[in-house]
């Protein structure tokens, strides 16, 4: 990557000049100096290094510890904390304003999107151009071919068969519901007119049927 060419394209005046578009009094005229690592130790070799760099985390932690909730409301008791120093008027001037840090940056251009462009020609596609996805099976001179006619008839036959199957399933379900209702009504009628002896005999017969089913199931190994 050619950093010099990229910065020049963004408005940099070249070596020996700051990033400011017109004045060298704002910003640095030399590159950022990096600390040399001569001992070969990597990140995390010293305890507390990661905490020392996380100044924003320490600032927020300090502000949270200064919140008092004993009175039922949240009240900040910390005065002159790190966050307050950062957001104060004097500190903010370091970053904003005509001589602030952010004024040294050059505003770049805006990348245009590809929505509405013809990906082949790169030109905008008019709404009435008719350009779009071609049909999977185009007809010759607008006439339906034998293959298209056969496929259309086959699709129609499948739709008709599907409708018939759904209709039959609905009819079976309706008959099943009616049958259950009739059985329930018959049981209610029998219960209403039977005596104690008949009710006892009916329950005994039902118990015997259940026992017979269990015996047959056990005999078949199921």
């Amino acid at each position: 990557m050619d950093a010099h060419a990229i910065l020049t394209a963004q408005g940099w005046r070249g070596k020996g000049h700051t990033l400011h578009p017109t004045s060298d009094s704002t910003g640095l005229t030399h590159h950022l100096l990096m600390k040399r690592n001569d001992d070969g130790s990597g990140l995390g070799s010293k305890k507390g290094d990661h905490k020392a760099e996380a100044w924003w985390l320490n600032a927020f932690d300090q502000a949270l510890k200064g919140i008092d909730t004993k009175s039922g409301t949240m009240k900040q008791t910390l005065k002159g904390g790190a966050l307050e120093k950062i957001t104060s008027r004097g500190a903010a001037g370091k970053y904003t304003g005509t001589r602030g840090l952010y004024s040294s940056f050059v505003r770049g251009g805006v990348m245009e999107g590809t929505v509405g462009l013809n990906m082949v020609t790169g030109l905008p596609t008019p709404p009435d151009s008719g350009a779009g996805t071609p049909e999977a099976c185009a007809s010759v001179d607008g006439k339906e071919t034998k293959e298209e006619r056969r496929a259309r008839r086959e699709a129609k036959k499948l739709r008709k068969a599907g409708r018939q199957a759904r209709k039959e399933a609905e009819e079976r379900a309706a008959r099943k519901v009616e049958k259950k209702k009739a059985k329930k009504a018959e049981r209610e009628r029998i219960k209403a007119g039977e005596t104690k002896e008949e009710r006892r005999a009916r329950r005994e017969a039902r118990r015997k049927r259940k026992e017979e089913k269990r015996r047959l199931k056990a005999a078949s190994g199921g």
Side-chain angles (χ1 to χ4, degrees), residues 36-106:
R36 292 178 60 87
N37 184 4
D38 298 328
D39 57 0
S41 60
L43 294 175
S45 60
K46 297 180 181 179
K47 291 185 177 180
D49 284 351
H50 62 289
K51 294 183 179 179
E53 295 296 333
W55 57 268
W56 62 91
L57 182 61
N58 296 332
F60 277 104
D61 186 58
Q62 186 183 35
L64 290 174
K65 289 180 179 179
I67 296 177
D68 182 17
T69 58
K70 294 180 180 179
S71 60
T73 58
M74 297 178 62
K75 183 179 179 181
Q76 180 59 260
T77 60
L78 180 66
K79 300 296 182 181
L83 280 181
E84 187 175 346
K85 292 179 181 178
I86 295 172
T87 57
S88 63
R89 182 179 297 275
K94 180 179 179 181
Y95 302 98
T96 60
T98 56
R99 298 181 62 85
L101 176 64
Y102 295 148
S103 64
S104 302
F105 291 90
V106 179

Side-chain angles (χ1 to χ4, degrees), residues 64-196:
L64 290 174
K65 289 180 179 179
I67 296 177
D68 182 17
T69 58
K70 294 180 180 179
S71 60
T73 58
M74 297 178 62
K75 183 179 179 181
Q76 180 59 260
T77 60
L78 180 66
K79 300 296 182 181
L83 280 181
E84 187 175 346
K85 292 179 181 178
I86 295 172
T87 57
S88 63
R89 182 179 297 275
K94 180 179 179 181
Y95 302 98
T96 60
T98 56
R99 298 181 62 85
L101 176 64
Y102 295 148
S103 64
S104 302
F105 291 90
V106 179
R107 184 179 181 84
V110 180
M111 295 182 63
E112 297 183 359
T114 58
V115 177
L117 292 179
N118 189 314
M119 301 309 295
V120 178
T121 62
L123 300 175
T125 303
D128 57 346
S129 65
T133 305
E135 296 183 0
C137 188
S139 303
V140 180
D141 297 333
K143 296 181 180 180
E144 189 178 38
T145 62
K146 290 183 179 180
E147 291 77 9
E148 291 174 338
R149 190 182 306 112
R150 188 180 298 111
R152 178 173 55 80
R153 290 176 178 175
E154 187 66 24
K156 183 178 179 181
K157 188 184 297 183
L158 291 175
R159 290 195 299 270
K160 185 176 180 180
R163 287 195 298 268
Q164 183 65 23
R166 288 194 297 271
K167 184 178 179 181
E168 292 177 356
E170 291 174 357
E171 290 177 353
R172 286 196 300 270
R175 287 196 298 268
K176 190 175 182 180
V177 171
E178 292 297 329
K179 189 175 181 180
K180 285 185 177 181
K181 288 182 179 180
K183 284 185 176 181
K184 185 176 180 181
E186 181 66 18
R187 287 196 300 268
E188 294 294 334
R189 186 185 63 80
I190 293 174
K191 288 180 181 180
E194 68 181 357
T195 61
K196 289 183 179 180

